[in-house]
Amino acid sequence: MGTETRQRQADRSRETRRKLMEATVECLVELGWSGTTTTVVAERAGVSRGAQLHHFRTRGELVAAAVEHLGAESVQHLKERAARVNGSTVAVVELIADFYASDLFTAALELWVAARTDPDLKTVVVPLEVRLGRETHRLAVELLGADETKPGVREAVQITLDLVRGLALANQLTDDGKRRARIVRHWATMLEDAL
Amino acid sequence: MGTETRQRQADRSRETRRKLMEATVECLVELGWSGTTTTVVAERAGVSRGAQLHHFRTRGELVAAAVEHLGAESVQHLKERAARVNGSTVAVVELIADFYASDLFTAALELWVAARTDPDLKTVVVPLEVRLGRETHRLAVELLGADETKPGVREAVQITLDLVRGLALANQLTDDGKRRARIVRHWATMLEDAL
């Protein structure tokens, strides 16, 4: 098999994986965890069950990979947007709040809640939660230009992330965007003083 | 039928209702929404399916009533505990954070997440979310002795509630108690200045 053929196969394999993960996130957001079965995802992705099983052995593996993939994409997207804004604390906190109040949060929430009462799923999701949490904290420190050696700064960054998580949760059943914008702006002025 | 008999029947009816609601919360916490079927709840409560149907026509009605009942009990419990603490901002914020990081939050989270993708359930849950949100805000204002006519105070109270909601969510898969305690204490000092 020539190099070119191997390359084409690798591309196709990556493309199949990507399709499956994107269909999984769509299913989680539209149908919730209970509606996100491997059959529904394969159909929506236009991928055969055999090809799906080759990439992801279980539903838990598929959904965790999908949320991790979306997490990595969202982080990239957030970094690009952050590079374009003026870098004020308000602008950065708004970006982080938007990052949370997104499909990533909704999909992750479905997965987290399902994992709470499913021990097998939990073993997959807990390490993912730790990785996403660390990555988000590191990113927030970087975007805010926060010096964590100064007393109180590490806590202020953590408050920012816990607050936007709470705000994202309040946005699940109804559109809480107006209230969220007001709270985010108010917190940003407090955070600026703390930094 | 004498007054005493009617009284006994009313007591028994209330008791049946209470048993069903308490079994529902236990089921939500242990088994999640998908495991909280009316059959499982009736069995656990030791109540016949007929008696259950007399009190709650649908699963959604039962679960929403159970979460509302637990909410009212938790508010009462929080008020009693608040009356016993010294009333410092730190102590009050700690009580509010404990109020959130509890079975009430876990049960409500199961219900909220299920309602997101279930339109019938959503019509029951959205008004409940509004009532619980208002009640919790009013209670926080009272316990903190906050004067919401002062600029920034209303926002600071809301930040408190959104923050403890985010912290409660971080506590679902792993015990986040130590980190939560540190964040809560730090926020309480910032809140004290804001009030």
Side-chain angles (χ1 to χ4, degrees), chain A residues 28-29 106 110 116 122 155 158 162 165-167 170 172-173 179 182-183, chain B residues 28-29 106 110 116 122 155 158 162 165-167 170 172-173 179 182-183:
Chain A
L28 282 173
V29 172
T106 302
E110 290 285 346
R116 196 183 64 78
K122 198 168 160 177
E155 286 78 7
Q158 289 192 312
D162 286 305
R165 196 186 303 116
L167 287 167
Q172 292 300 302
L173 289 187
R179 190 186 73 93
R182 200 164 40 78
I183 300 296
Chain B
L28 281 174
V29 171
T106 302
E110 290 285 345
R116 196 183 63 79
K122 198 168 161 176
E155 285 79 7
Q158 289 193 312
D162 285 306
R165 195 187 303 117
L167 286 167
Q172 291 301 301
L173 289 186
R179 190 186 73 93
R182 200 163 40 79
I183 301 294

PDB file of all heavy atoms in Angstrom, chain A residues 28-29 106 110 116 122 155 158 162 165-167 170 172-173 179 182-183, chain B residues 28-29 106 110 116 122 155 158 162 165-167 170 172-173 179 182-183:
ATOM      1  N   LEU A  28     -27.053  14.991  21.959  1.00  0.00           N
ATOM      2  CA  LEU A  28     -27.103  15.340  23.387  1.00  0.00           C
ATOM      3  C   LEU A  28     -27.894  16.624  23.592  1.00  0.00           C
ATOM      4  O   LEU A  28     -28.726  16.716  24.493  1.00  0.00           O
ATOM      5  CB  LEU A  28     -25.698  15.520  23.950  1.00  0.00           C
ATOM      6  CG  LEU A  28     -24.899  14.259  24.274  1.00  0.00           C
ATOM      7  CD1 LEU A  28     -23.477  14.624  24.663  1.00  0.00           C
ATOM      8  CD2 LEU A  28     -25.564  13.464  25.411  1.00  0.00           C
ATOM      9  N   VAL A  29     -27.620  17.624  22.744  1.00  0.00           N
ATOM     10  CA  VAL A  29     -28.262  18.929  22.911  1.00  0.00           C
ATOM     11  C   VAL A  29     -29.757  18.830  22.584  1.00  0.00           C
ATOM     12  O   VAL A  29     -30.593  19.360  23.311  1.00  0.00           O
ATOM     13  CB  VAL A  29     -27.559  19.996  22.044  1.00  0.00           C
ATOM     14  CG1 VAL A  29     -28.337  21.312  22.041  1.00  0.00           C
ATOM     15  CG2 VAL A  29     -26.134  20.229  22.557  1.00  0.00           C
ATOM     16  N   THR A 106     -24.109  22.385  27.691  1.00  0.00           N
ATOM     17  CA  THR A 106     -25.333  21.569  27.662  1.00  0.00           C
ATOM     18  C   THR A 106     -25.000  20.096  27.449  1.00  0.00           C
ATOM     19  O   THR A 106     -25.528  19.223  28.147  1.00  0.00           O
ATOM     20  CB  THR A 106     -26.271  22.077  26.547  1.00  0.00           C
ATOM     21  OG1 THR A 106     -26.555  23.452  26.808  1.00  0.00           O
ATOM     22  CG2 THR A 106     -27.571  21.297  26.512  1.00  0.00           C
ATOM     23  N   GLU A 110     -25.456  16.969  30.263  1.00  0.00           N
ATOM     24  CA  GLU A 110     -26.165  15.703  30.036  1.00  0.00           C
ATOM     25  C   GLU A 110     -25.275  14.522  30.436  1.00  0.00           C
ATOM     26  O   GLU A 110     -25.729  13.582  31.089  1.00  0.00           O
ATOM     27  CB  GLU A 110     -26.564  15.570  28.552  1.00  0.00           C
ATOM     28  CG  GLU A 110     -27.662  16.523  28.100  1.00  0.00           C
ATOM     29  CD  GLU A 110     -29.056  16.100  28.604  1.00  0.00           C
ATOM     30  OE1 GLU A 110     -29.218  14.964  29.059  1.00  0.00           O
ATOM     31  OE2 GLU A 110     -29.980  16.941  28.555  1.00  0.00           O
ATOM     32  N   ARG A 116     -23.450  10.479  37.045  1.00  0.00           N
ATOM     33  CA  ARG A 116     -23.619  10.496  38.500  1.00  0.00           C
ATOM     34  C   ARG A 116     -24.217   9.180  39.007  1.00  0.00           C
ATOM     35  O   ARG A 116     -23.818   8.675  40.062  1.00  0.00           O
ATOM     36  CB  ARG A 116     -24.503  11.677  38.925  1.00  0.00           C
ATOM     37  CG  ARG A 116     -24.430  12.003  40.398  1.00  0.00           C
ATOM     38  CD  ARG A 116     -25.379  13.129  40.763  1.00  0.00           C
ATOM     39  NE  ARG A 116     -26.765  12.770  40.550  1.00  0.00           N
ATOM     40  CZ  ARG A 116     -27.494  12.000  41.362  1.00  0.00           C
ATOM     41  NH1 ARG A 116     -26.965  11.534  42.472  1.00  0.00           N
ATOM     42  NH2 ARG A 116     -28.752  11.704  41.075  1.00  0.00           N
ATOM     43  N   LYS A 122     -19.121   6.906  34.950  1.00  0.00           N
ATOM     44  CA  LYS A 122     -18.430   7.808  35.867  1.00  0.00           C
ATOM     45  C   LYS A 122     -16.907   7.641  35.783  1.00  0.00           C
ATOM     46  O   LYS A 122     -16.171   8.622  35.840  1.00  0.00           O
ATOM     47  CB  LYS A 122     -18.923   7.538  37.300  1.00  0.00           C
ATOM     48  CG  LYS A 122     -18.620   8.669  38.257  1.00  0.00           C
ATOM     49  CD  LYS A 122     -19.377   8.479  39.554  1.00  0.00           C
ATOM     50  CE  LYS A 122     -18.750   9.265  40.677  1.00  0.00           C
ATOM     51  NZ  LYS A 122     -19.507   9.147  41.929  1.00  0.00           N
ATOM     52  N   GLU A 155      -8.111  32.538  43.948  1.00  0.00           N
ATOM     53  CA  GLU A 155      -9.514  32.391  44.362  1.00  0.00           C
ATOM     54  C   GLU A 155     -10.446  33.201  43.449  1.00  0.00           C
ATOM     55  O   GLU A 155     -11.525  32.735  43.097  1.00  0.00           O
ATOM     56  CB  GLU A 155      -9.705  32.842  45.816  1.00  0.00           C
ATOM     57  CG  GLU A 155      -9.159  31.891  46.862  1.00  0.00           C
ATOM     58  CD  GLU A 155      -7.644  31.964  47.030  1.00  0.00           C
ATOM     59  OE1 GLU A 155      -7.018  32.869  46.418  1.00  0.00           O
ATOM     60  OE2 GLU A 155      -7.082  31.115  47.749  1.00  0.00           O
ATOM     61  N   GLN A 158     -11.019  31.372  40.311  1.00  0.00           N
ATOM     62  CA  GLN A 158     -11.923  30.236  40.546  1.00  0.00           C
ATOM     63  C   GLN A 158     -13.368  30.702  40.720  1.00  0.00           C
ATOM     64  O   GLN A 158     -14.291  30.070  40.211  1.00  0.00           O
ATOM     65  CB  GLN A 158     -11.455  29.440  41.767  1.00  0.00           C
ATOM     66  CG  GLN A 158     -10.161  28.680  41.482  1.00  0.00           C
ATOM     67  CD  GLN A 158      -9.833  27.659  42.546  1.00  0.00           C
ATOM     68  OE1 GLN A 158      -9.888  27.973  43.737  1.00  0.00           O
ATOM     69  NE2 GLN A 158      -9.499  26.455  42.141  1.00  0.00           N
ATOM     70  N   ASP A 162     -16.580  29.319  38.668  1.00  0.00           N
ATOM     71  CA  ASP A 162     -17.750  28.735  39.347  1.00  0.00           C
ATOM     72  C   ASP A 162     -18.991  29.579  39.087  1.00  0.00           C
ATOM     73  O   ASP A 162     -20.092  29.053  38.923  1.00  0.00           O
ATOM     74  CB  ASP A 162     -17.477  28.603  40.849  1.00  0.00           C
ATOM     75  CG  ASP A 162     -16.521  27.456  41.143  1.00  0.00           C
ATOM     76  OD1 ASP A 162     -16.812  26.326  40.711  1.00  0.00           O
ATOM     77  OD2 ASP A 162     -15.489  27.682  41.792  1.00  0.00           O
ATOM     78  N   ARG A 165     -20.267  28.983  35.594  1.00  0.00           N
ATOM     79  CA  ARG A 165     -20.889  27.657  35.560  1.00  0.00           C
ATOM     80  C   ARG A 165     -22.313  27.740  36.111  1.00  0.00           C
ATOM     81  O   ARG A 165     -23.253  27.194  35.534  1.00  0.00           O
ATOM     82  CB  ARG A 165     -20.062  26.649  36.355  1.00  0.00           C
ATOM     83  CG  ARG A 165     -20.451  25.213  36.036  1.00  0.00           C
ATOM     84  CD  ARG A 165     -19.760  24.184  36.916  1.00  0.00           C
ATOM     85  NE  ARG A 165     -18.332  24.254  36.862  1.00  0.00           N
ATOM     86  CZ  ARG A 165     -17.546  24.558  37.887  1.00  0.00           C
ATOM     87  NH1 ARG A 165     -18.061  24.799  39.076  1.00  0.00           N
ATOM     88  NH2 ARG A 165     -16.252  24.611  37.753  1.00  0.00           N
ATOM     89  N   GLY A 166     -22.471  28.455  37.228  1.00  0.00           N
ATOM     90  CA  GLY A 166     -23.797  28.633  37.810  1.00  0.00           C
ATOM     91  C   GLY A 166     -24.719  29.396  36.879  1.00  0.00           C
ATOM     92  O   GLY A 166     -25.910  29.069  36.746  1.00  0.00           O
ATOM     93  N   LEU A 167     -24.177  30.404  36.197  1.00  0.00           N
ATOM     94  CA  LEU A 167     -24.975  31.188  35.247  1.00  0.00           C
ATOM     95  C   LEU A 167     -25.381  30.329  34.049  1.00  0.00           C
ATOM     96  O   LEU A 167     -26.505  30.432  33.556  1.00  0.00           O
ATOM     97  CB  LEU A 167     -24.185  32.410  34.770  1.00  0.00           C
ATOM     98  CG  LEU A 167     -24.019  33.548  35.786  1.00  0.00           C
ATOM     99  CD1 LEU A 167     -22.961  34.543  35.310  1.00  0.00           C
ATOM    100  CD2 LEU A 167     -25.335  34.271  36.032  1.00  0.00           C
ATOM    101  N   ALA A 170     -28.317  28.234  34.931  1.00  0.00           N
ATOM    102  CA  ALA A 170     -29.570  28.993  34.995  1.00  0.00           C
ATOM    103  C   ALA A 170     -30.146  29.261  33.608  1.00  0.00           C
ATOM    104  O   ALA A 170     -31.279  29.711  33.469  1.00  0.00           O
ATOM    105  CB  ALA A 170     -29.338  30.310  35.729  1.00  0.00           C
ATOM    106  N   GLN A 172     -30.461  26.939  31.166  1.00  0.00           N
ATOM    107  CA  GLN A 172     -30.816  25.696  30.487  1.00  0.00           C
ATOM    108  C   GLN A 172     -32.299  25.624  30.106  1.00  0.00           C
ATOM    109  O   GLN A 172     -32.642  25.122  29.054  1.00  0.00           O
ATOM    110  CB  GLN A 172     -30.440  24.473  31.340  1.00  0.00           C
ATOM    111  CG  GLN A 172     -28.941  24.279  31.483  1.00  0.00           C
ATOM    112  CD  GLN A 172     -28.252  24.089  30.144  1.00  0.00           C
ATOM    113  OE1 GLN A 172     -28.562  23.186  29.402  1.00  0.00           O
ATOM    114  NE2 GLN A 172     -27.332  24.984  29.817  1.00  0.00           N
ATOM    115  N   LEU A 173     -33.184  26.098  30.972  1.00  0.00           N
ATOM    116  CA  LEU A 173     -34.625  25.966  30.695  1.00  0.00           C
ATOM    117  C   LEU A 173     -35.220  27.226  30.069  1.00  0.00           C
ATOM    118  O   LEU A 173     -36.191  27.154  29.344  1.00  0.00           O
ATOM    119  CB  LEU A 173     -35.382  25.627  31.982  1.00  0.00           C
ATOM    120  CG  LEU A 173     -35.173  24.218  32.534  1.00  0.00           C
ATOM    121  CD1 LEU A 173     -36.112  23.981  33.705  1.00  0.00           C
ATOM    122  CD2 LEU A 173     -35.411  23.164  31.463  1.00  0.00           C
ATOM    123  N   ARG A 179     -30.087  38.869  32.215  1.00  0.00           N
ATOM    124  CA  ARG A 179     -29.635  38.881  33.599  1.00  0.00           C
ATOM    125  C   ARG A 179     -28.154  38.496  33.653  1.00  0.00           C
ATOM    126  O   ARG A 179     -27.366  39.116  34.355  1.00  0.00           O
ATOM    127  CB  ARG A 179     -30.464  37.888  34.430  1.00  0.00           C
ATOM    128  CG  ARG A 179     -30.238  38.003  35.940  1.00  0.00           C
ATOM    129  CD  ARG A 179     -30.971  36.903  36.706  1.00  0.00           C
ATOM    130  NE  ARG A 179     -30.336  35.605  36.539  1.00  0.00           N
ATOM    131  CZ  ARG A 179     -29.418  35.096  37.355  1.00  0.00           C
ATOM    132  NH1 ARG A 179     -29.047  35.765  38.426  1.00  0.00           N
ATOM    133  NH2 ARG A 179     -28.877  33.927  37.123  1.00  0.00           N
ATOM    134  N   ARG A 182     -25.758  41.301  32.878  1.00  0.00           N
ATOM    135  CA  ARG A 182     -25.664  42.288  33.957  1.00  0.00           C
ATOM    136  C   ARG A 182     -24.759  41.762  35.076  1.00  0.00           C
ATOM    137  O   ARG A 182     -23.895  42.471  35.588  1.00  0.00           O
ATOM    138  CB  ARG A 182     -27.086  42.567  34.488  1.00  0.00           C
ATOM    139  CG  ARG A 182     -27.235  43.853  35.249  1.00  0.00           C
ATOM    140  CD  ARG A 182     -28.720  44.243  35.385  1.00  0.00           C
ATOM    141  NE  ARG A 182     -29.595  43.115  35.653  1.00  0.00           N
ATOM    142  CZ  ARG A 182     -29.736  42.528  36.848  1.00  0.00           C
ATOM    143  NH1 ARG A 182     -29.077  42.990  37.884  1.00  0.00           N
ATOM    144  NH2 ARG A 182     -30.542  41.505  36.993  1.00  0.00           N
ATOM    145  N   ILE A 183     -24.947  40.489  35.460  1.00  0.00           N
ATOM    146  CA  ILE A 183     -24.151  39.879  36.531  1.00  0.00           C
ATOM    147  C   ILE A 183     -22.679  39.788  36.120  1.00  0.00           C
ATOM    148  O   ILE A 183     -21.778  40.083  36.916  1.00  0.00           O
ATOM    149  CB  ILE A 183     -24.685  38.448  36.845  1.00  0.00           C
ATOM    150  CG1 ILE A 183     -26.148  38.488  37.289  1.00  0.00           C
ATOM    151  CG2 ILE A 183     -23.833  37.762  37.896  1.00  0.00           C
ATOM    152  CD1 ILE A 183     -26.392  39.208  38.570  1.00  0.00           C
TER     153      ILE A 183
ATOM    154  N   LEU B  28     -34.640   9.916  42.885  1.00  0.00           N
ATOM    155  CA  LEU B  28     -33.918  10.850  42.011  1.00  0.00           C
ATOM    156  C   LEU B  28     -32.441  10.883  42.368  1.00  0.00           C
ATOM    157  O   LEU B  28     -31.576  10.837  41.500  1.00  0.00           O
ATOM    158  CB  LEU B  28     -34.493  12.265  42.147  1.00  0.00           C
ATOM    159  CG  LEU B  28     -35.774  12.584  41.402  1.00  0.00           C
ATOM    160  CD1 LEU B  28     -36.258  13.978  41.771  1.00  0.00           C
ATOM    161  CD2 LEU B  28     -35.584  12.491  39.882  1.00  0.00           C
ATOM    162  N   VAL B  29     -32.143  10.939  43.674  1.00  0.00           N
ATOM    163  CA  VAL B  29     -30.747  11.050  44.122  1.00  0.00           C
ATOM    164  C   VAL B  29     -29.998   9.748  43.848  1.00  0.00           C
ATOM    165  O   VAL B  29     -28.867   9.763  43.365  1.00  0.00           O
ATOM    166  CB  VAL B  29     -30.681  11.441  45.609  1.00  0.00           C
ATOM    167  CG1 VAL B  29     -29.259  11.355  46.138  1.00  0.00           C
ATOM    168  CG2 VAL B  29     -31.243  12.850  45.812  1.00  0.00           C
ATOM    169  N   THR B 106     -29.352  18.145  43.891  1.00  0.00           N
ATOM    170  CA  THR B 106     -29.188  16.947  43.059  1.00  0.00           C
ATOM    171  C   THR B 106     -30.521  16.522  42.452  1.00  0.00           C
ATOM    172  O   THR B 106     -30.613  16.228  41.254  1.00  0.00           O
ATOM    173  CB  THR B 106     -28.585  15.801  43.891  1.00  0.00           C
ATOM    174  OG1 THR B 106     -27.330  16.249  44.408  1.00  0.00           O
ATOM    175  CG2 THR B 106     -28.351  14.561  43.058  1.00  0.00           C
ATOM    176  N   GLU B 110     -31.619  16.727  38.356  1.00  0.00           N
ATOM    177  CA  GLU B 110     -32.165  15.617  37.563  1.00  0.00           C
ATOM    178  C   GLU B 110     -33.445  16.057  36.851  1.00  0.00           C
ATOM    179  O   GLU B 110     -33.655  15.757  35.677  1.00  0.00           O
ATOM    180  CB  GLU B 110     -32.463  14.405  38.468  1.00  0.00           C
ATOM    181  CG  GLU B 110     -31.236  13.694  39.010  1.00  0.00           C
ATOM    182  CD  GLU B 110     -30.513  12.837  37.968  1.00  0.00           C
ATOM    183  OE1 GLU B 110     -31.102  12.552  36.906  1.00  0.00           O
ATOM    184  OE2 GLU B 110     -29.350  12.469  38.220  1.00  0.00           O
ATOM    185  N   ARG B 116     -35.416  19.803  30.114  1.00  0.00           N
ATOM    186  CA  ARG B 116     -34.845  20.541  28.983  1.00  0.00           C
ATOM    187  C   ARG B 116     -35.271  19.930  27.645  1.00  0.00           C
ATOM    188  O   ARG B 116     -35.570  20.640  26.692  1.00  0.00           O
ATOM    189  CB  ARG B 116     -33.311  20.576  29.089  1.00  0.00           C
ATOM    190  CG  ARG B 116     -32.651  21.620  28.191  1.00  0.00           C
ATOM    191  CD  ARG B 116     -31.147  21.563  28.281  1.00  0.00           C
ATOM    192  NE  ARG B 116     -30.613  20.311  27.818  1.00  0.00           N
ATOM    193  CZ  ARG B 116     -30.449  19.972  26.528  1.00  0.00           C
ATOM    194  NH1 ARG B 116     -30.766  20.823  25.581  1.00  0.00           N
ATOM    195  NH2 ARG B 116     -29.963  18.789  26.199  1.00  0.00           N
ATOM    196  N   LYS B 122     -41.326  20.370  30.925  1.00  0.00           N
ATOM    197  CA  LYS B 122     -40.820  21.740  30.991  1.00  0.00           C
ATOM    198  C   LYS B 122     -41.904  22.726  31.436  1.00  0.00           C
ATOM    199  O   LYS B 122     -41.616  23.653  32.196  1.00  0.00           O
ATOM    200  CB  LYS B 122     -40.273  22.127  29.617  1.00  0.00           C
ATOM    201  CG  LYS B 122     -39.352  23.322  29.649  1.00  0.00           C
ATOM    202  CD  LYS B 122     -38.614  23.469  28.327  1.00  0.00           C
ATOM    203  CE  LYS B 122     -38.076  24.878  28.183  1.00  0.00           C
ATOM    204  NZ  LYS B 122     -37.288  25.036  26.958  1.00  0.00           N
ATOM    205  N   GLU B 155     -26.911  42.945  42.763  1.00  0.00           N
ATOM    206  CA  GLU B 155     -26.019  42.137  41.924  1.00  0.00           C
ATOM    207  C   GLU B 155     -25.138  41.226  42.801  1.00  0.00           C
ATOM    208  O   GLU B 155     -24.904  40.075  42.449  1.00  0.00           O
ATOM    209  CB  GLU B 155     -25.123  43.037  41.064  1.00  0.00           C
ATOM    210  CG  GLU B 155     -25.820  43.686  39.875  1.00  0.00           C
ATOM    211  CD  GLU B 155     -26.642  44.887  40.270  1.00  0.00           C
ATOM    212  OE1 GLU B 155     -26.580  45.315  41.450  1.00  0.00           O
ATOM    213  OE2 GLU B 155     -27.365  45.419  39.400  1.00  0.00           O
ATOM    214  N   GLN B 158     -27.080  38.287  43.885  1.00  0.00           N
ATOM    215  CA  GLN B 158     -27.267  37.360  42.757  1.00  0.00           C
ATOM    216  C   GLN B 158     -25.983  36.595  42.448  1.00  0.00           C
ATOM    217  O   GLN B 158     -26.022  35.402  42.170  1.00  0.00           O
ATOM    218  CB  GLN B 158     -27.738  38.125  41.523  1.00  0.00           C
ATOM    219  CG  GLN B 158     -29.183  38.620  41.684  1.00  0.00           C
ATOM    220  CD  GLN B 158     -29.778  39.102  40.389  1.00  0.00           C
ATOM    221  OE1 GLN B 158     -29.162  39.865  39.671  1.00  0.00           O
ATOM    222  NE2 GLN B 158     -30.986  38.665  40.091  1.00  0.00           N
ATOM    223  N   ASP B 162     -25.604  32.579  42.155  1.00  0.00           N
ATOM    224  CA  ASP B 162     -25.104  31.920  40.943  1.00  0.00           C
ATOM    225  C   ASP B 162     -23.806  31.178  41.254  1.00  0.00           C
ATOM    226  O   ASP B 162     -23.562  30.097  40.732  1.00  0.00           O
ATOM    227  CB  ASP B 162     -24.889  32.949  39.827  1.00  0.00           C
ATOM    228  CG  ASP B 162     -26.213  33.401  39.220  1.00  0.00           C
ATOM    229  OD1 ASP B 162     -26.980  32.528  38.791  1.00  0.00           O
ATOM    230  OD2 ASP B 162     -26.490  34.614  39.196  1.00  0.00           O
ATOM    231  N   ARG B 165     -24.524  27.981  43.106  1.00  0.00           N
ATOM    232  CA  ARG B 165     -25.108  27.028  42.163  1.00  0.00           C
ATOM    233  C   ARG B 165     -23.994  26.355  41.359  1.00  0.00           C
ATOM    234  O   ARG B 165     -23.989  25.133  41.178  1.00  0.00           O
ATOM    235  CB  ARG B 165     -26.104  27.723  41.235  1.00  0.00           C
ATOM    236  CG  ARG B 165     -26.988  26.740  40.502  1.00  0.00           C
ATOM    237  CD  ARG B 165     -27.872  27.370  39.439  1.00  0.00           C
ATOM    238  NE  ARG B 165     -28.727  28.405  39.975  1.00  0.00           N
ATOM    239  CZ  ARG B 165     -28.662  29.681  39.619  1.00  0.00           C
ATOM    240  NH1 ARG B 165     -27.799  30.078  38.722  1.00  0.00           N
ATOM    241  NH2 ARG B 165     -29.477  30.553  40.152  1.00  0.00           N
ATOM    242  N   GLY B 166     -23.029  27.173  40.888  1.00  0.00           N
ATOM    243  CA  GLY B 166     -21.896  26.617  40.144  1.00  0.00           C
ATOM    244  C   GLY B 166     -21.072  25.678  41.008  1.00  0.00           C
ATOM    245  O   GLY B 166     -20.611  24.629  40.547  1.00  0.00           O
ATOM    246  N   LEU B 167     -20.886  26.036  42.280  1.00  0.00           N
ATOM    247  CA  LEU B 167     -20.122  25.190  43.207  1.00  0.00           C
ATOM    248  C   LEU B 167     -20.864  23.873  43.462  1.00  0.00           C
ATOM    249  O   LEU B 167     -20.244  22.813  43.553  1.00  0.00           O
ATOM    250  CB  LEU B 167     -19.883  25.924  44.524  1.00  0.00           C
ATOM    251  CG  LEU B 167     -18.840  27.053  44.483  1.00  0.00           C
ATOM    252  CD1 LEU B 167     -18.916  27.900  45.749  1.00  0.00           C
ATOM    253  CD2 LEU B 167     -17.433  26.504  44.304  1.00  0.00           C
ATOM    254  N   ALA B 170     -20.281  21.515  40.649  1.00  0.00           N
ATOM    255  CA  ALA B 170     -18.925  20.927  40.663  1.00  0.00           C
ATOM    256  C   ALA B 170     -18.811  19.800  41.680  1.00  0.00           C
ATOM    257  O   ALA B 170     -17.822  19.079  41.710  1.00  0.00           O
ATOM    258  CB  ALA B 170     -17.897  22.014  40.965  1.00  0.00           C
ATOM    259  N   GLN B 172     -21.048  17.283  42.022  1.00  0.00           N
ATOM    260  CA  GLN B 172     -21.933  16.167  41.684  1.00  0.00           C
ATOM    261  C   GLN B 172     -21.187  14.844  41.465  1.00  0.00           C
ATOM    262  O   GLN B 172     -21.653  13.802  41.872  1.00  0.00           O
ATOM    263  CB  GLN B 172     -22.773  16.500  40.444  1.00  0.00           C
ATOM    264  CG  GLN B 172     -23.805  17.587  40.685  1.00  0.00           C
ATOM    265  CD  GLN B 172     -24.791  17.237  41.790  1.00  0.00           C
ATOM    266  OE1 GLN B 172     -25.486  16.250  41.703  1.00  0.00           O
ATOM    267  NE2 GLN B 172     -24.826  18.029  42.845  1.00  0.00           N
ATOM    268  N   LEU B 173     -20.026  14.912  40.819  1.00  0.00           N
ATOM    269  CA  LEU B 173     -19.325  13.656  40.500  1.00  0.00           C
ATOM    270  C   LEU B 173     -18.246  13.325  41.525  1.00  0.00           C
ATOM    271  O   LEU B 173     -17.920  12.161  41.722  1.00  0.00           O
ATOM    272  CB  LEU B 173     -18.693  13.734  39.114  1.00  0.00           C
ATOM    273  CG  LEU B 173     -19.657  13.703  37.939  1.00  0.00           C
ATOM    274  CD1 LEU B 173     -18.896  13.641  36.629  1.00  0.00           C
ATOM    275  CD2 LEU B 173     -20.593  12.503  38.031  1.00  0.00           C
ATOM    276  N   ARG B 179     -12.361  22.517  48.405  1.00  0.00           N
ATOM    277  CA  ARG B 179     -12.196  23.672  47.524  1.00  0.00           C
ATOM    278  C   ARG B 179     -13.376  24.632  47.712  1.00  0.00           C
ATOM    279  O   ARG B 179     -13.205  25.840  47.813  1.00  0.00           O
ATOM    280  CB  ARG B 179     -12.128  23.203  46.062  1.00  0.00           C
ATOM    281  CG  ARG B 179     -11.718  24.291  45.077  1.00  0.00           C
ATOM    282  CD  ARG B 179     -11.803  23.805  43.635  1.00  0.00           C
ATOM    283  NE  ARG B 179     -13.198  23.676  43.194  1.00  0.00           N
ATOM    284  CZ  ARG B 179     -13.882  24.637  42.552  1.00  0.00           C
ATOM    285  NH1 ARG B 179     -13.293  25.784  42.256  1.00  0.00           N
ATOM    286  NH2 ARG B 179     -15.134  24.453  42.205  1.00  0.00           N
ATOM    287  N   ARG B 182     -13.078  26.916  50.685  1.00  0.00           N
ATOM    288  CA  ARG B 182     -12.092  27.989  50.491  1.00  0.00           C
ATOM    289  C   ARG B 182     -12.688  29.112  49.630  1.00  0.00           C
ATOM    290  O   ARG B 182     -12.559  30.295  49.943  1.00  0.00           O
ATOM    291  CB  ARG B 182     -10.847  27.391  49.808  1.00  0.00           C
ATOM    292  CG  ARG B 182      -9.584  28.195  49.959  1.00  0.00           C
ATOM    293  CD  ARG B 182      -8.344  27.345  49.631  1.00  0.00           C
ATOM    294  NE  ARG B 182      -8.546  26.476  48.485  1.00  0.00           N
ATOM    295  CZ  ARG B 182      -8.484  26.859  47.205  1.00  0.00           C
ATOM    296  NH1 ARG B 182      -8.222  28.110  46.908  1.00  0.00           N
ATOM    297  NH2 ARG B 182      -8.676  25.985  46.235  1.00  0.00           N
ATOM    298  N   ILE B 183     -13.371  28.724  48.546  1.00  0.00           N
ATOM    299  CA  ILE B 183     -13.968  29.710  47.632  1.00  0.00           C
ATOM    300  C   ILE B 183     -15.076  30.487  48.340  1.00  0.00           C
ATOM    301  O   ILE B 183     -15.183  31.706  48.203  1.00  0.00           O
ATOM    302  CB  ILE B 183     -14.566  28.999  46.388  1.00  0.00           C
ATOM    303  CG1 ILE B 183     -13.484  28.207  45.646  1.00  0.00           C
ATOM    304  CG2 ILE B 183     -15.252  29.978  45.455  1.00  0.00           C
ATOM    305  CD1 ILE B 183     -12.427  29.046  45.027  1.00  0.00           C
TER     306      ILE B 183
END
